[in-house]
Amino acid sequence: MMQFRRSAFVPHDLKAPLSGRASGPLSGLTVAVKDMYDIAGERVSGGSPAWLAAQGPAAAHSAVVDRILQAGGTIIGKTVCDEFFYSVTGMNAHYGTPVNPRTPGRIPGGSSAGSAAACGAGACDLAIGSDTAGSVRVPAAFCGLYGLRVTHGRIDLRGAMAMAPSFDAGGWFAATPGLFARVGSVLLDERAAVQGSVSKLAWLGDAFGRADARIGELARGFLAQAAAILPAMTEVSAAGEEIDAWREAMRVKQAAEVWQTFGAFVRQHGDQLGPGIAERMRVASEISADDLRKAEPTLVRVRKRMEVLTAQGTLLVLPTCASMAPLTTASATDLDRYRIDTMRLVCMASISGLPQMTIPFATLEGAPVGLSFIGWRGSDEVLLDLALRLARHLT
């Protein structure tokens, strides 16, 4: 287990834990932070040694780190992430792949891989990530954790590296629902909360249709066990046959923004990028204004459709990922297929900016799989409360 824990943290880790206030909602709890959030006196890598070498020490804490410390949390270290956050595998060519503590032969998922691995291995009580295209949701599911991608804008990302700002959102991990829910009062902007009771649960048939059928079977069984605390469930289709158009529109917009964020740096240091990331950056550099113009109508349709589906009181239920985590030895072809399958599911919340929570509800062949709930805009606290209520039905 010690090996698992060490693999989650960057080589340029904190020399000593950073203690927070003596009292607060996170008092006595340890927190690991994705290596993209500024910590005063430290440099961030964003998964890239070249980027790290070009940075000076941060003058101040990021808003997220400051809130954690003010709430009494102790930050114990900085965690490995995919290079420039541009993958959902968690495999970093420079810093290594954090070991998935639940299934060591399988990938941890990314890009917040180290945060999920550290939390899953018990190296910390809580872990902070970020989620642009599944970067909290996917590793939470693969490492058997609770994870939340918040409503876009509800976590203050000042002092955090950007990737694709239209989609970037904060998020966190926990192994237990009580600790998971506790973070909400610390990090969420309470002014943007939209409370309400859950009056409708909608099963996304097209999402489950894109996933391993066994996940759907397990999900129906779990929801049947929890039926006493849930409203009646209906079945709907979110994207239907247009799901690949949704995925492609997000890919184009995300890539364009990634290049806007990192392009100048990559032009100078592209020869220092790891395999896979270098290729994705090359593709990102080729996105044209015409490509963006063609993608925009689809993105608008997605946002409108998702807002309709998540009218206040309605939660959407879907598989977090289409399958269990791929093996660490999977071929490049298999990993590319996994990325496409994953993007079909995660693009819904990413494009719309809606909150999505994943819970560790089952295993397949010994590997964790996650069940997700997408809520209405600002319903993050409702999702956290649901995690607490559903916990008694988890086996």
Side-chain angles (χ1 to χ4, degrees):
M1 186 62 73
M2 185 60 67
Q3 175 191 357
F4 295 178
R5 296 182 182 188
R6 283 197 300 267
S7 73
F9 295 93
V10 293
H12 51 280
D13 200 5
L14 299 177
K15 296 180 177 61
L18 193 60
S19 299
R21 295 177 60 188
S23 62
L26 301 185
S27 180
L29 298 177
T30 54
V31 185
V33 177
K34 185 176 183 177
D35 192 26
M36 60 170 281
Y37 291 95
D38 282 350
I39 296 176
E42 301 288 335
R43 296 175 299 152
V44 295
S45 74
S48 167
W51 183 271
L52 177 73
Q55 308 308 305
H61 295 320
S62 64
V64 165
V65 166
D66 187 61
R67 286 197 173 205
I68 291 168
L69 296 173
Q70 290 299 317
T74 294
I75 295 177
I76 62 161
K78 305 194 298 178
T79 56
V80 174
C81 56
D82 282 293
E83 190 169 12
F84 294 126
F85 329 119
Y86 212 3
S87 182
V88 288
T89 65
M91 304 171 80
N92 187 302
H94 311 288
Y95 299 138
T97 301
V99 178
N100 185 326
R102 291 289 302 276
T103 50
R106 296 184 180 274
I107 66 171
S111 65
S112 307
S115 289
C119 191
C124 56
D125 298 306
L126 302 163
I128 305 301
S130 70
D131 190 310
T132 300
S135 295
V136 165
R137 291 164 284 172
V138 172
F142 287 171
C143 294
L145 299 168
Y146 292 86
L148 178 69
R149 172 201 161 88
V150 304
T151 299
H152 190 261
R154 284 211 65 191
I155 285 182
D156 188 344
L157 293 180
R158 286 177 299 167
M161 289 177 64
M163 181 196 183
S166 293
F167 309 115
D168 293 347
W172 67 87
F173 305 90
T176 62
L179 292 182
F180 181 58
R182 194 183 304 185
V183 182
S185 65
V186 175
L187 293 185
L188 290 171
D189 180 355
E190 61 184 17
R191 296 168 299 178
V194 180
Q195 302 291 355
S197 59
V198 180
S199 57
K200 182 178 178 181
L201 191 65
W203 174 278
L204 291 187
D206 51 341
F208 278 100
R210 297 287 184 172
D212 186 323
R214 295 174 296 175
I215 296 177
E217 294 170 6
L218 290 166
R220 286 193 182 277
F222 169 70
L223 294 172
Q225 293 175 15
I229 65 167
L230 295 172
M233 187 166 65
T234 59
E235 182 167 339
V236 300
S237 174
E241 295 303 313
E242 201 184 15
I243 189 61
D244 280 316
W246 288 22
R247 175 187 60 78
E248 177 62 11
M250 180 174 173
R251 184 195 68 80
V252 169
K253 178 73 168 177
Q254 180 189 17
E257 293 192 3
V258 166
W259 188 248
Q260 185 175 14
T261 301
F262 296 115
F265 182 85
V266 171
R267 286 191 188 98
Q268 290 187 321
H269 304 279
D271 60 336
Q272 299 178 57
L273 300 185
I277 303 302
E279 173 63 18
R280 281 191 282 282
M281 284 294 183
R282 183 192 63 76
V283 172
S285 73
E286 297 171 352
I287 299 296
S288 67
D290 190 52
D291 293 330
L292 280 172
R293 181 185 59 79
K294 291 177 179 177
E296 191 57 37
T298 300
L299 296 172
V300 171
R301 287 199 305 276
V302 174
R303 295 182 193 112
K304 289 181 178 179
R305 175 60 175 160
M306 293 299 292
E307 290 286 354
V308 169
L309 288 174
T310 57
Q312 187 164 341
T314 301
L315 297 183
L316 311 180
V317 58
L318 68 159
T320 307
C321 300
S323 65
M324 69 182 85
L327 295 171
T328 56
T329 55
S331 68
T333 299
D334 287 342
L335 289 176
D336 283 343
R337 185 179 304 113
Y338 149 74
R339 289 187 186 93
I340 291 171
D341 291 344
T342 299
M343 285 295 294
R344 288 185 179 120
L345 300 181
V346 302
C347 72
M348 298 180 186
S350 291
I351 295 172
S352 62
L354 297 174
Q356 181 174 340
M357 174 184 71
T358 179
I359 65 172
F361 86 109
T363 59
L364 280 178
E365 301 175 25
V369 289
L371 185 65
S372 273
F373 299 85
I374 297 176
W376 56 95
R377 194 171 308 279
S379 67
D380 309 72
E381 289 88 349
V382 175
L383 292 173
L384 295 174
D385 178 68
L386 179 65
L388 289 169
R389 293 189 292 119
L390 287 175
R392 72 191 66 176
H393 299 283
L394 295 172
T395 56

